């Protein structure tokens, strides 16, 4: 079955760095764009970043642009999120999610499969 | 950036009732690129509806989506105990950011 498993979360001091991973299985990873979405404690969902299937294009929320980098290794079926210059407001559960389907004419960028998430806490 | 506003913030209903959740966009959502998700405490979100009205795989037919342009609705007919959760709408037009609404909490009355 389709599965996404995040790892790499933890406690980090403000200004520090962390790299999240998302291991994918049960589908052809290299054929799908992938998202990162986060949820601060008690808050709603916030889209963070998206990467196309071949890694050719990457998009970021303004709140993380210049600090976070999304990447992927299709040979390892793994998605990454490198987070630098972390701030207290980056504290959240981070989810990776698979992009929806593509028709011959366009793709749908909703999130049809989600991982269980990994928790990042930025605190001194 | 398209801003999505969901209403009401909290909806209190009884099992067996009918829930109507609203999602309004600050500008037109092209091609009805609007999705709905359900999230229960401690769990990841689950896709319910995409393309404004298409049910995702395995979603019961008591869940239905409608709307176009700037106004969208998620309707849950015949509420089951497991339907009480938080619901989010999300727009996914071709250009990011892919924004979410702030959520509607559906609670048992």
């Amino acid at each position: 079955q389709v599965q996404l498993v995040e790892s790499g979360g933890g406690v980090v001091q403000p200004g520090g760095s962390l790299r999240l991973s998302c291991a994918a299985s049960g589908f052809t990873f290299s054929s799908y764009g992938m998202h990162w979405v986060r949820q601060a404690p008690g808050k709603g969902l916030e889209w963070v970043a998206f990467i196309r299937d071949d890694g050719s294009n990457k998009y970021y929320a303004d709140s993380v642009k210049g600090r976070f980098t999304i990447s992927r290794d299709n040979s390892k079926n793994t998605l990454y999120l490198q987070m630098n210059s972390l701030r207290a407001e980056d504290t959240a559960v981070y989810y990776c999610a698979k992009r929806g389907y593509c028709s011959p004419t366009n793709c749908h960028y909703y999130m049809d499969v989600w991982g269980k998430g990994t928790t990042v806490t930025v605190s001194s | 950036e398209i801003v999505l506003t969901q209403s009401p913030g909290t909806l209190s209903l009884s099992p067996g009732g009918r829930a109507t959740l609203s999602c309004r966009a600050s500008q037109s959502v092209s091609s009805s690129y609007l999705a709905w998700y359900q999230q229960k405490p401690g769990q990841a979100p689950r896709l319910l509806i995409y393309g404004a009205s298409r049910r995702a795989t395995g979603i019961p037919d008591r869940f239905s989506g409608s709307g176009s342009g700037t106004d969208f609705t998620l309707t849950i007919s015949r509420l089951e105990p497991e339907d009480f959760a938080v619901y989010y709408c999300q727009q996914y037009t071709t250009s990011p950011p892919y924004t979410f609404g702030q959520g509607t909490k559906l609670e048992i009355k």
Side-chain angles (χ1 to χ4, degrees), chain A residues 36-103:
Chain A
W36 285 102
V37 177
R38 69 183 180 183
Q39 187 170 35
K43 303 297 184 182
L45 302 171
E46 180 187 15
W47 172 80
V48 172
F50 175 79
I51 184 169
R52 293 199 183 277
D53 53 0
D54 61 0
S56 59
N57 292 89
K58 306 172 185 181
Y59 305 91
Y60 300 93
D62 285 346
S63 58
V64 306
K65 201 173 294 182
R67 300 187 299 122
F68 289 13
T69 302
I70 189 171
S71 63
R72 64 191 298 159
D73 186 336
N74 286 346
S75 68
K76 296 182 179 179
N77 289 346
T78 303
L79 175 73
Y80 302 101
L81 186 67
Q82 177 67 44
M83 304 186 296
N84 298 331
S85 303
L86 283 161
R87 306 166 180 167
E89 55 265 35
D90 296 318
T91 293
V93 175
Y94 285 73
Y95 298 99
C96 64
K98 172 181 162 290
R99 186 217 68 213
Y101 81 100
C102 282
S103 69

Side-chain angles (χ1 to χ4, degrees), chain B:
Chain B
E1 173 178 324
I2 298 177
V3 176
L4 299 179
T5 302
Q6 293 186 238
S7 61
T10 302
L11 186 58
S12 299
L13 294 170
S14 301
R18 179 185 182 91
T20 302
L21 286 66
S22 174
C23 177
R24 178 162 290 178
S26 60
Q27 56 188 277
S28 183
V29 177
S30 60
S31 303
S32 295
Y33 286 155
L34 194 286
W36 289 93
Y37 303 87
Q38 177 194 68
Q39 188 179 33
K40 298 179 181 179
Q43 296 185 17
R46 177 176 72 146
L47 175 69
L48 298 175
I49 301 286
Y50 65 95
S53 61
R54 300 182 180 186
R55 270 189 303 276
T57 303
I59 301 303
D61 61 6
R62 64 179 182 274
F63 290 89
S64 63
S66 62
S68 63
T70 60
D71 289 293
F72 298 89
T73 300
L74 175 70
T75 302
I76 313 171
S77 61
R78 307 180 311 276
L79 283 166
E80 298 286 346
E82 62 267 26
D83 298 337
F84 292 91
V86 179
Y87 292 83
Y88 295 95
C89 59
Q90 180 229 349
Q91 63 80 23
Y92 53 93
T93 52
T94 51
S95 299
Y98 302 123
T99 50
F100 290 89
Q102 83 278 18
T104 289
K105 181 179 182 181
L106 177 59
E107 65 177 23
I108 299 177
K109 187 174 183 179

Side-chain angles (χ1 to χ4, degrees), chain A residues 101-108:
Chain A
Y101 81 100
C102 282
S103 69
T105 54
N106 65 297
C107 290
H108 294 251

